[in-house]
Amino acid sequence: MIIYRQISDLPAGLPHPVVTIGNFDGVHLGHRQVLSRVREEAQRRGGVSVVITFVPHPLQVLSPGVPLKLITTPAEKAALIAASEIDYLLEIPFDAAFAATPARVFVEEVLVGRIGVELLVIGYDYAFGRGREGEPELLRLLGERHNFSVELLNPVSNGTIVYSSTAVRRMVEHGDVKGVVAILGRHYCMAGEVVHGFHRGRTLGYPTANLKTEKDLVPCAGVYAVKVRLGDELFDGACNVGTNPTFANAKLSMEVFLFDFDRDIYGETICVYFIDRVRGEKRFPGVDALRQAIAQDVEHCRELLESATLIDCHTAETC
């Protein structure tokens, strides 16, 4: 997949382009249906598939006072879109000036004038342009005028929950990292650098890797069974998310205890995949009680992970 970060960088006159537009935060199973449809139709036409998205997320510009915890970083999103075998990704810089662009102008200048779109595929609830005026009815009218088709895909659901980025965020924030796999299509993960912490884990007999990550969608406080990727290696472990109330810390931390592991990995990057939640955060009366609880947590995590299979973008059949 080729990535372009300016409209002007995208080659003009692409062969039989099939295009979709969206934020695609999380690239969940609903998104993947859109990407799959774009790819399949482009192949059928002997053309190319094009995904248009925006950086930063439009809500971060239009509603800066409303906190938005993104599921994926721009780099993760691009990697997931690439895994869906898309040909071109256009990441348009989004600012207040671009937000004021009428949908009609965007269609005529970018989709038609620059790309030469033949088919525009959009999700059931997506609209773009100034005031979200780029809705299906307007797009179909513009398609008739400029000789391109518009295909609106139905929502994807499991019969109870419609697959959406909002649903994924809600489940992760509530600690339902096991249940979210059915919507996300993979285990939720957080990557980051291993940094120094308080070094309490080693004194307790459970040395931990403290994760510094740029992602702000963090599962709620508690203990989780996790799998951890370090380079090409994969390890089982237990992860504590929280403020360590037994020690009255104020800052949220993520501490990972890797099973059967004894190496110095400070400064290295790891990716933590959340498999299941073991328990919520708890304050213990003292260090001995905490040490006993950690031993029980580790044993519980070992049992959960013994039969667990990691699902990431490279193992999920839907990628």
Side-chain angles (χ1 to χ4, degrees):
M1 184 180 75
I2 301 175
I3 301 175
Y4 296 99
R5 294 187 169 86
Q6 297 288 340
I7 295 172
S8 59
D9 293 338
L10 190 69
L14 295 174
H16 308 292
V18 179
V19 181
T20 187
I21 307 173
N23 296 317
F24 298 105
D25 183 35
V27 195
H28 54 66
L29 292 180
H31 292 145
R32 290 186 200 172
Q33 184 184 70
V34 175
L35 300 177
S36 177
R37 177 63 184 141
V38 169
R39 181 186 68 243
E40 291 170 359
E41 186 60 24
Q43 291 173 346
R44 188 187 72 80
R45 294 169 181 247
V48 296
S49 53
V50 182
V51 173
I52 299 175
T53 189
F54 307 96
V55 179
H57 192 291
L59 288 179
Q60 293 178 313
V61 175
L62 300 174
S63 302
V66 179
L68 177 65
K69 297 180 179 180
L70 297 180
I71 303 163
T72 48
T73 65
E76 286 175 333
K77 181 167 67 173
L80 290 164
I81 292 173
S84 292
E85 299 180 348
I86 294 297
D87 296 311
Y88 297 97
L89 172 63
L90 173 58
E91 296 179 334
I92 297 178
F94 193 90
D95 55 20
F98 185 83
T101 304
R104 185 185 305 272
V105 172
F106 181 82
V107 169
E108 293 176 346
E109 294 185 357
V110 179
L111 296 186
V112 177
R114 187 76 191 185
I115 299 175
V117 59
E118 287 190 4
L119 173 65
L120 177 63
V121 180
I122 54 175
Y124 74 99
D125 63 343
Y126 189 72
F128 65 91
R130 184 183 60 193
R132 292 177 57 85
E133 61 190 7
E135 295 181 331
E137 183 177 355
L138 174 61
L139 295 175
R140 289 192 176 105
L141 288 173
L142 292 172
E144 292 175 3
R145 180 180 303 172
H146 297 287
N147 197 31
F148 68 86
S149 302
V150 177
E151 183 174 329
L152 179 67
L153 297 186
N154 293 323
V156 180
S157 76
N158 60 8
T160 303
I161 301 174
V162 173
Y163 296 171
S164 68
S165 300
T166 299
V168 171
R169 292 187 194 103
R170 181 172 58 248
M171 294 179 77
V172 172
E173 288 179 326
H174 284 80
D176 189 8
V177 295
K178 182 178 181 180
V180 80
V181 175
I183 298 178
L184 194 56
R186 62 188 187 278
H187 285 104
Y188 183 68
C189 65
M190 300 186 71
E193 179 186 356
V194 177
V195 297
H196 289 276
F198 292 102
H199 299 283
R200 294 193 186 110
R202 188 169 298 278
T203 63
L204 292 168
Y206 299 92
T208 59
N210 290 265
L211 187 69
K212 178 184 178 182
T213 178
E214 63 179 286
K215 295 181 75 168
D216 52 10
L217 179 61
V218 181
C220 66
V223 176
Y224 295 83
V226 298
K227 288 185 178 287
V228 179
R229 191 177 300 282
L230 171 62
D232 295 329
E233 299 176 279
L234 190 67
F235 300 93
D236 289 350
C239 177
N240 183 78
V241 178
T243 58
N244 295 304
T246 303
F247 298 101
N249 290 348
K251 187 178 180 180
L252 184 74
S253 65
M254 290 181 55
E255 302 170 274
V256 185
F257 171 62
L258 300 176
F259 302 159
D260 309 312
F261 185 89
D262 186 20
R263 282 153 52 186
D264 184 348
I265 55 173
Y266 288 117
E268 297 195 44
T269 297
I270 62 174
C271 188
V272 180
Y273 297 87
F274 292 84
I275 307 300
D276 205 348
R277 189 169 190 250
V278 173
R279 64 168 174 84
E281 188 173 48
K282 182 179 179 181
R283 184 181 185 278
F284 294 94
V287 171
D288 290 340
L290 174 60
R291 184 181 291 110
Q292 183 177 355
I294 293 174
Q296 294 173 348
D297 292 338
V298 167
E299 183 60 30
H300 192 175
C301 288
R302 285 186 184 272
E303 293 172 358
L304 289 171
L305 295 168
E306 185 176 1
S307 59
T309 299
L310 173 64
I311 305 175
D312 64 13
C313 191
H314 301 290
T315 59
E317 294 180 358
T318 47
C319 276

